[in-house]
């Protein structure tokens, strides 16, 4: 009731000039949106001005509610405007909003580093991740990890290790270095002349398994490909970078954790560092705090961002072993990691992250997510029989639906049919945000999603698929 009154007040405050349509026009006259062909706005692609958010809902300036089934690009964990995180950010803003982290320190940065190291994946007998380097978005975190890996070898006198191995269909961000280790043509093709070509190893993606091949067998096959690649380039590679368990931007493709164990063994055998990009998979998305845990082993460097702050503020962190850190210690500045961003370890973002980690503990989030994941499984299972759904797959709190013309792997819809976009529009019309990846629809909801919202999500997904394919 209180919440409703609050919403009514916010809406009442909007003057006529600030109506949804007016915001849309003002937006289009000044803004250039990310990952968007601007020409498609607003005809082909709706532009929805959002006034506020509450729980799993985003609320438009016109008062319409939208269920945020993709957690606002996989950032939001506990719902929009989560009061405990909002309060922590407000309290920190009244105390210290920013200080450069070179030569200075602050409590939230230290406390957050301690807590991240405490929850990071471990393997008995291996030295744990021991140091935290902050950056301010996912791509910047990936850049820092790549540079660290190269520089580590450089500091040890191994100057020939200048190449990175990445996985086919992987994604690590949009900056030049991160794009170089990404393999999604849509994002990288135009910029290819600018990129430092990575070595791409076969993806362990279970969707690519041959008939009769299990996900574990597919993982073994891909690991054999990685082994062969590393053997062809002795002494040239400084690191392997991968998205553990789930290649998100590549279409929510999932693989058996066995692959991560094999990758760990191969990196050790070839003296190559292993970088886990947990930017999208971290903080409970795949069922465990970090996806790497499912393999019972750990990386040498781990990048986190997105859910790190519960979805409130941009922040990234690179976790490194003591051994990596130690190689940068010297009397010369050249051996130091001189990488920096102005907002490195911003106190507001660190305070949001600390509040988010408190919620994990106080609300027993990972355990509660197991129950929600069971509901996701039950609600998504019937889609496997849909005549246009070729695959329904799940990793913890993520479910993906692969849409094809005949519901099998060999009949993709023609790209021009834009089935994913049509489904997006149909779902949005019904008040659910289902931003697709090509013709893959997926659910990656905030963890606070309730039973009614889950039912709405499933019902709307079905209606959106049916509407999208009806016009194909
Ligand atoms: N790595 C992965 C696995 C990602 O999913 C993303 C973002 N989608 C990034 C890196 C880049 O993060 P950001 O968008 O914050 O630069």
């Amino acid at each position: 009731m209180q919440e409703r009154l609050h919403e009514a007040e916010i809406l009442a405050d909007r003057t006529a000039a600030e109506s949804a349509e007016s915001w849309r026009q003002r937006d289009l006259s000044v803004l250039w949106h990310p990952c968007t062909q601007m020409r498609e706005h607003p005809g082909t692609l709706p532009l929805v001005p959002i006034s506020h958010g509450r729980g799993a809902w985003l609320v438009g300036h016109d008062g319409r509610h939208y269920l945020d089934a993709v957690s606002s690009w996989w950032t939001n964990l506990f719902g929009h405007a989560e009061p405990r995180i909002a309060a922590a950010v407000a309290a920190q803003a009244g105390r210290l909003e920013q200080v450069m982290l070179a030569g200075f320190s602050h409590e939230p940065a230290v406390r957050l580093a301690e807590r991240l190291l405490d929850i990071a994946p471990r393997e008995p007998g291996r030295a744990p991740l021991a140091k935290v380097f902050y950056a301010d978005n996912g791509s910047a975190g990936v850049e820092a990890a790549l540079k660290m890996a190269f520089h580590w070898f450089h500091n040890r006198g191994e100057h020939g290790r200048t190449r990175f191995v990445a996985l086919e269909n992987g994604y690590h961000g949009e900056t030049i270095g991160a794009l170089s280790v990404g393999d999604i043509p849509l994002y990288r093709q135009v910029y290819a002349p600018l990129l430092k070509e990575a070595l791409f190893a076969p993806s362990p993606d279970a969707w690519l398994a041959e008939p009769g091949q299990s996900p574990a067998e597919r993982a073994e096959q891909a690991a054999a490909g990685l082994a062969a690649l590393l053997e062809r380039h002795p002494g040239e590679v400084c690191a392997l970078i991968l998205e553990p368990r789930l290649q998100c931007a590549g279409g929510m493709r999932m693989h058996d954790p066995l692959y991560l164990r094999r990758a760990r063994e191969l990196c050790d055998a070839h003296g190559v560092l292993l970088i886990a990009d947990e930017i999208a998979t971290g903080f409970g998305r795949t069922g465990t705090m970090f996806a790497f845990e499912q393999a019972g082993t750990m990386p040498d460097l781990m990048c986190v961002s997105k859910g790190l702050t519960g979805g409130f503020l941009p922040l990234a962190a690179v976790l490194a072993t003591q051994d990596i850190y130690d190689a940068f210690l010297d009397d010369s500045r050249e051996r130091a990691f001189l990488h920096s961003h102005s907002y490195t370890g911003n106190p507001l973002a660190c305070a949001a992250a600390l509040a988010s980690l408190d919620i994990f503990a106080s609300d027993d989030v990972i355990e509660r997510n197991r129950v929600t994941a069971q509901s996701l499984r039950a609600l998504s299972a019937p889609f496997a029989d849909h005549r246009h759904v070729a695959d329904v797959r799940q990793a913890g709190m993520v479910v993906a639906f692969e849409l094809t013309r005949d519901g099998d792997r060999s009949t993709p819809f023609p790209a021009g049919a834009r089935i994913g976009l049509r489904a997006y529009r149909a779902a949005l019309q019904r008040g659910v945000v289902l931003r697709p990846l090509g013709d893959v629809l997926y659910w990656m909801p905030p963890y606070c999603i309730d039973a009614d919202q889950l039912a709405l999500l499933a019902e709307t997904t079905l209606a959106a698929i049916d509407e999208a394919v009806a016009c194909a």
Side-chain angles (χ1 to χ4, degrees):
M1 184 65 186
Q2 202 68 38
E3 212 165 84
R4 295 219 151 207
L5 278 175
H6 184 58
E7 283 180 12
E9 280 162 22
I10 292 172
L11 289 172
D13 279 345
R14 307 284 164 216
T15 63
E18 292 172 332
S19 69
E21 189 47 38
S22 152
W23 277 117
R24 207 169 285 124
Q25 280 168 22
R26 284 171 65 178
D27 174 302
L28 291 174
S29 69
V30 291
L31 281 189
W32 192 343
H33 286 262
C35 205
T36 300
Q37 168 50 267
M38 291 303 294
R39 215 166 191 179
E40 293 185 349
H41 276 320
T44 314
L45 192 61
L47 179 65
V48 188
I50 294 299
S51 147
H52 59 287
R54 196 60 89 228
W57 296 109
L58 291 166
V59 185
H61 275 283
D62 53 5
R64 289 199 61 190
H65 283 53
Y66 300 91
L67 185 67
D68 187 358
V70 298
S71 295
S72 287
W73 262 344
W74 326 334
T75 57
N76 190 283
L77 295 189
F78 311 115
H80 291 280
E82 208 291 332
R84 290 167 286 182
I85 304 179
V89 173
Q92 184 60 42
R95 193 184 166 102
L96 176 69
E97 81 305 338
Q98 163 69 359
V99 61
M100 63 182 172
L101 211 56
F104 292 87
S105 180
H106 57 82
E107 196 180 315
V110 176
R111 288 180 51 220
L112 178 59
E114 289 168 350
R115 289 184 66 179
L116 287 174
L117 295 172
D118 208 39
I119 58 172
R122 284 165 192 266
E123 183 182 346
R126 280 190 96 88
L129 295 166
K131 288 284 185 289
V132 173
F133 186 93
Y134 289 114
D136 48 19
N137 63 75
S139 307
V142 166
E143 298 284 340
L146 296 174
K147 283 176 68 180
M148 254 179 211
F150 163 79
H151 201 160
W152 184 70
F153 282 108
H154 186 86
N155 282 350
R156 290 156 42 108
E158 289 193 57
H159 299 255
R161 291 202 183 253
T162 57
R163 307 199 72 174
F164 295 101
V165 175
L167 298 190
E168 286 171 1
N169 195 42
Y171 177 91
H172 301 285
E174 301 289 339
T175 49
I176 302 283
L179 263 188
S180 297
V181 289
D183 183 40
I184 308 220
L186 182 65
Y187 306 128
R188 89 181 321 260
Q189 218 154 28
V190 178
Y191 307 104
L194 306 180
L195 306 180
K196 182 170 167 48
E197 196 57 38
L199 298 164
F200 288 101
S203 170
D205 180 359
W207 162 260
L208 300 177
E210 286 149 21
Q213 197 180 35
S214 71
E217 286 163 349
R218 170 70 201 167
E220 290 285 16
Q221 186 187 22
L226 173 62
L229 183 71
L230 289 171
E231 270 152 34
R232 282 200 301 278
H233 298 276
E236 288 175 38
V237 176
C238 48
L240 163 67
I241 183 165
L242 49 76
E243 296 161 272
R245 276 295 271 127
L246 178 63
Q247 293 187 305
C248 292
M252 296 297 161
R253 296 291 180 80
M254 299 168 191
H255 58 256
D256 193 293
L258 174 64
Y259 182 79
L260 304 173
R261 283 208 293 284
R262 294 286 177 263
R264 179 68 276 176
E265 289 159 10
L266 288 166
C267 285
D268 288 345
H270 290 265
V272 166
L273 293 177
L274 177 50
I275 306 174
D277 177 348
E278 292 254 10
I279 289 165
T281 52
F283 303 102
R285 284 293 179 201
T286 68
T288 45
M289 195 57 153
F290 297 103
F292 229 91
E293 286 168 40
Q294 295 169 35
T297 182
M298 55 172 280
D300 301 298
L301 291 159
M302 182 170 91
C303 304
V304 293
S305 187
K306 288 194 188 273
L308 170 60
T309 61
F312 265 64
L313 284 158
L315 179 68
V318 182
L319 279 61
T321 58
Q322 186 70 37
D323 187 38
I324 292 178
Y325 173 82
D326 284 345
F328 290 80
L329 300 178
D330 191 61
D331 293 336
S332 101
R333 288 196 87 206
E334 257 166 51
R335 285 173 74 97
F337 192 55
L338 297 184
H339 187 93
S340 64
H341 297 289
S342 311
Y343 282 96
T344 295
N346 172 258
L348 301 178
C350 291
L354 284 165
S356 175
L357 291 180
D358 284 345
I359 294 175
F360 270 102
S362 64
D363 294 8
D364 203 5
V365 170
I366 299 288
E367 197 45 48
R368 283 181 42 190
N369 279 358
R370 279 192 230 287
V371 179
T372 312
Q374 278 165 15
S375 304
L376 289 172
R377 188 171 297 281
L379 287 165
S380 60
F383 283 79
D385 298 328
H386 191 285
R387 70 199 159 95
H388 294 295
V389 177
D391 193 30
V392 180
R393 48 183 177 261
Q394 180 174 9
M397 292 294 287
V398 183
V399 177
F401 308 90
E402 193 94 29
L403 307 185
T404 65
R405 201 192 59 216
D406 298 337
D408 59 28
R409 283 158 200 252
S410 57
T411 56
F413 283 108
R418 303 197 72 184
I419 296 298
L421 174 69
R422 288 173 192 276
Y424 171 74
R425 281 200 309 241
L428 200 64
Q429 196 67 37
R430 293 168 171 80
V432 174
V433 183
L434 269 187
R435 192 181 160 96
L437 294 157
D439 290 344
V440 175
L441 291 184
Y442 65 92
W443 299 342
M444 202 195 279
Y447 304 157
C448 62
I449 192 162
D450 66 23
D452 289 345
Q453 292 164 340
L454 282 167
L456 171 70
L457 177 56
E459 184 186 303
T460 305
T461 303
L462 183 60
I465 296 173
D466 287 341
E467 189 174 320
V469 297
C471 354

